Amino acid sequence: MKNKLNSILPPVVLVLIYFLIQLLLSKKILNPYHIQILMFACVNIMLTVSLNIVNGFTGQFCIGHAGFMSLGAYGSAIITTMLFGGMKMDPNLRIPVFLLSLLVGGILAAIVGFLIGLPTLKIKGDYLAIVTLAFGEIVRSTLRLIEPIGAARGMIGIPKITNLAWMFFFVMITLYITRNFVYSRYGRASIAIRDNEIAADAMGINTTRYKVIAFVFAAFIAGVAGGLYAHLMTFIQPDSFSFVKSNELLVYLYAGGSGSITGSVLGALVLTIIPEALRFLGNLTNWRIVIYAVILVLIMLYKPSGLFGGKEISFLRINRDSFRKPFNKFNDPKLADKQNS
Amino acid sequence: MAMLEVKDLQVSYGAIAAVRGVSFDLNQGEIIALIGANGAGKSTILRTISGLVKSKSGSIRFADKELTKTPAHKIVALGIAHVPEGRHVFSGLTVLENLKLGATLQNDEARKEENLKRVFSMFPRLEERITQKAGTLSGGEQQMLALGRAIMTDGKLMLLDEPSMGLAPIIVEEIFENILRINKNGTSILLIEQNANLALAVSSRAYVLENGIITIEGDSKELLVDERVKNAYLGA
């Protein structure tokens, strides 16, 4: 009973929040600018949660995550804008084409994630970080050179299809599948690799394989988030997906608490909103970035493992602790890994 | 015929030769000890057997399969369980999850349950702490968990790297009693120990390793009274 409530409650709460926002919007307490920021926060939540799978749960260090986002953004924008006419698209086609484009963007990012991941995930620690950094920059510089998609000028005329409802929907899906991933056999193997790669190897876990799975999964979500971003901004350019963007995501992740889905949501939400919220400061507006940085330092000082380091709220947690039951569930033959074949 | 046969094994870390032509064998059901000082190459030999380190030359045969070119996760599937030095539990996961990970390659449900029962009968303390994060266990409990996890892999050969390291004497005694129990259940054991007295007491045969080569080998009982071994390792 409690489990059922737990699975129904979050979507209900999210829908209620959505209608609350619509109500506030109609009463002019919130304006479209606020909504815009909230949607950016949602994109950042998706990106941070996906980065968390690689950095927080699998213990790798990816600092080129914006590269996957840009692949998704360009991939989906090419579908809607160049293949289906963008703004002039048949209204009946808008939604199906939009969803198709997001899927294509996600798959494009995932394929590249796989190609990058296969050779590089044998590299460890700092060296892997440098390779992912280089990857992000390669993607950006390559996009700058491709003339048909606008090269360095960027791509304009992308139809504005992403709205708050879509954003909420995709955040919800992201959280749901990420939670299930983390608490599955795959997630457990990932955490084992994070905690101790040598021991994981010695337990018969194919570490490279699980690292690539985590990488591809994260790249897919980042790609979809990129597609949503493109159809929110209506304009994308390669330089929006530079190392600065990857860096922001790392800040959200570690301030929120790596290894915690709740933390990623909170980190991305709070830290996207704070710089905007500080605009009310009037004459002190120029100081808002300084204040933002000070807040960051304070978080890390008082909560060195991030706001939610290692902890989860109940919706984002599946009980690992009940006695024998999970052991039998773990043996589900459908999930059984055919590693020893 | 020997279950494990190591021949002329050489392992280098870069330019430094850690193991320089080591040969030994282990029969089904035996406990073999490798003793020697720090840096003699004991851990390197274990790591090479389980595929965590690649050898430079030589061969390792286990149940008629060559291991030197086999990746680590496949070696586990062949039936070799490695308990690395310094315990190496998955600190972010619970005790039960750590044990489950030991059974990653086990598809036989009944066997898995059976092994879990065995682990809990050997180490009742693990059963009490089943939902606790492994990182919060004491050193001795972590060593028990590492052993329990190795039992869950259901290996025919267990490689134990310094199971007594950093533990109180009473815990060491408990651990070693259980190592003997594991052996009685049919698992062969290759044991590395700095505590040579202990290693020679539980093993049937032993090899003394110095600077990457075997200098003395023989029955453990004889080595216990061997003058060279006594002077160098037993502190008598």
Side-chain angles (χ1 to χ4, degrees):
Chain A
M1 185 58 216
K2 201 175 161 228
N3 270 343
K4 223 172 194 166
L5 197 72
N6 240 341
S7 59
I8 294 172
L9 203 60
V12 171
V13 169
L14 210 63
V15 169
L16 285 179
I17 292 175
Y18 179 76
F19 282 110
L20 181 70
I21 289 169
Q22 295 299 337
L23 183 74
L24 291 175
L25 202 56
S26 66
K27 294 257 189 277
K28 304 259 189 270
I29 298 169
L30 287 176
N31 60 39
Y33 164 70
H34 293 138
I35 303 298
Q36 178 94 353
I37 289 168
L38 193 58
M39 287 197 278
F40 282 133
C42 287
V43 172
N44 286 336
I45 286 173
M46 286 177 72
L47 290 164
T48 311
V49 167
S50 66
L51 183 62
N52 201 354
I53 295 166
V54 174
N55 287 25
F57 289 105
T58 317
Q60 307 305 302
F61 200 67
C62 175
I63 53 176
H65 209 55
F68 296 120
M69 182 193 179
S70 69
L71 287 168
Y74 272 93
S76 71
I78 287 170
I79 301 280
T80 54
T81 313
M82 297 176 71
L83 296 182
F84 284 89
M87 309 285 197
K88 296 189 285 290
M89 203 191 314
D90 181 350
N92 291 327
L93 276 178
R94 270 169 81 94
I95 300 305
V97 168
F98 174 55
L99 292 177
L100 172 77
S101 78
L102 292 179
L103 185 68
V104 169
I107 289 173
L108 179 65
I111 290 172
V112 175
F114 178 76
L115 294 177
I116 293 289
L118 215 51
T120 55
L121 286 175
K122 293 185 175 170
I123 310 170
K124 291 182 175 120
D126 309 352
Y127 302 97
L128 174 67
I130 292 300
V131 172
T132 59
L133 173 69
F135 155 74
E137 289 305 295
I138 289 168
V139 171
R140 186 176 68 92
S141 345
T142 310
L143 290 174
R144 282 174 66 101
L145 294 174
I146 303 174
E147 197 52 51
I149 55 167
R153 293 184 312 279
M155 207 165 158
I156 52 167
I158 304 167
K160 181 158 182 160
I161 307 177
T162 306
N163 57 27
L164 194 61
W166 279 122
M167 257 345 305
F168 271 31
F169 175 71
F170 279 104
V171 166
M172 190 71 206
I173 302 255
T174 302
L175 294 182
Y176 183 73
I177 59 173
T178 304
R179 178 196 68 167
N180 286 6
F181 176 85
V182 167
Y183 288 90
S184 73
R185 183 187 187 107
Y186 296 97
R188 190 172 18 237
S190 296
I191 293 171
I193 292 167
R194 175 193 72 187
D195 283 352
N196 200 315
E197 195 166 341
I198 290 175
D201 246 330
M203 288 301 104
I205 294 168
N206 185 345
T207 50
T208 306
R209 176 167 175 262
Y210 281 101
K211 283 194 265 183
V212 170
I213 289 173
F215 216 63
V216 167
F217 182 50
F220 179 81
I221 296 176
V224 173
L228 288 162
Y229 172 83
H231 293 84
L232 170 61
M233 285 295 281
T234 71
F235 163 68
I236 50 175
Q237 59 175 5
D239 290 352
S240 320
F241 309 103
S242 66
F243 176 63
V244 176
K245 183 69 198 175
S246 300
N247 198 32
E248 264 174 30
L249 298 176
L250 288 168
V251 170
Y252 301 152
L253 172 65
Y254 289 102
S258 85
S260 160
I261 305 172
T262 319
S264 297
V265 174
L266 209 68
L269 189 67
V270 170
L271 294 178
T272 310
I273 291 174
I274 283 180
E276 302 298 329
L278 289 174
R279 283 183 197 277
F280 73 92
L281 286 173
N283 289 339
L284 286 173
T285 302
N286 294 337
W287 287 85
R288 71 194 171 89
I289 299 302
V290 177
I291 297 169
Y292 174 76
V294 169
I295 291 174
L296 262 184
V297 171
L298 288 178
I299 291 176
M300 295 328 281
L301 263 181
Y302 289 99
K303 279 285 211 174
S305 55
L307 292 171
F308 263 82
K311 294 191 204 72
E312 296 286 7
I313 56 167
S314 64
F315 155 58
L316 294 170
R317 188 176 58 217
I318 296 175
N319 199 358
R320 291 191 143 131
D321 304 341
S322 44
F323 181 48
R324 271 305 165 70
K325 228 165 147 209
F327 196 78
N328 293 324
K329 210 158 104 198
F330 168 74
N331 290 334
D332 187 345
K334 274 176 287 181
L335 293 173
D337 210 346
K338 302 283 180 283
Q339 274 194 341
N340 41 354
S341 56
Chain B
M1 207 208 67
M3 181 186 208
L4 177 79
E5 205 169 2
V6 176
K7 252 197 199 131
D8 288 325
L9 184 68
Q10 295 196 28
V11 188
S12 303
Y13 294 115
I16 299 152
V19 176
R20 302 183 293 172
V22 162
S23 303
F24 65 92
D25 56 67
L26 180 149
N27 297 316
Q28 172 81 42
E30 253 187 324
I31 301 186
I32 295 291
L34 289 180
I35 56 180
N38 277 336
K42 300 174 304 225
S43 293
T44 304
I45 291 176
L46 284 206
R47 285 189 189 159
T48 316
I49 294 173
S50 59
L52 300 174
V53 173
K54 292 288 154 230
S55 62
K56 197 172 128 203
S57 66
S59 86
I60 303 170
R61 293 190 73 78
F62 175 73
D64 269 334
K65 286 209 177 62
E66 179 60 45
L67 299 188
T68 45
K69 300 278 180 291
T70 314
H73 62 273
K74 297 225 167 101
I75 291 178
V76 183
L78 290 176
I80 295 185
H82 186 182
V83 182
E85 184 181 3
R87 302 186 271 278
H88 290 290
V89 295
F90 304 118
S91 52
L93 295 171
T94 65
V95 168
L96 184 61
E97 283 179 310
N98 267 270
L99 293 173
K100 279 179 192 172
L101 274 165
T104 300
L105 300 177
Q106 176 70 266
N107 287 325
D108 180 348
E109 318 263 323
R111 186 77 185 142
K112 214 184 279 191
E113 281 289 321
E114 201 180 299
N115 283 332
L116 193 66
K117 281 197 189 108
R118 262 173 73 200
V119 172
F120 289 149
S121 77
M122 280 185 200
F123 306 110
R125 225 171 323 168
L126 292 182
E127 190 164 15
E128 287 163 26
R129 291 169 196 259
I130 196 156
T131 63
Q132 205 171 312
K133 288 254 168 86
T136 64
L137 297 177
S138 74
E141 287 160 352
Q142 289 190 17
Q143 184 65 62
M144 292 173 197
L145 182 56
L147 272 176
R149 210 174 48 185
I151 293 171
M152 295 299 291
T153 67
D154 210 14
K156 299 187 261 305
L157 170 63
M158 205 179 270
L159 312 176
L160 300 178
D161 197 342
E162 301 271 2
S164 76
M165 197 173 78
L167 300 180
I170 186 153
I171 305 284
V172 172
E173 204 173 296
E174 188 183 342
I175 299 270
F176 270 80
E177 269 167 24
N178 281 304
I179 290 173
L180 287 172
R181 273 174 77 184
I182 293 169
N183 179 248
K184 282 213 181 74
N185 281 328
T187 309
S188 316
I189 287 172
L190 178 55
L191 171 71
I192 280 186
E193 258 301 334
Q194 286 215 41
N195 185 340
N197 263 319
L198 200 56
L200 293 176
V202 298
S203 59
S204 56
R205 291 185 297 131
Y207 297 84
V208 178
L209 208 62
E210 272 171 47
N211 293 322
I213 42 176
I214 287 172
T215 50
I216 309 170
E217 59 177 280
D219 278 353
S220 299
K221 283 196 197 87
E222 287 164 23
L223 291 186
L224 264 174
V225 292
D226 187 296
E227 283 305 319
R228 295 166 297 174
V229 177
K230 262 168 128 175
N231 290 336
Y233 303 104
L234 301 179

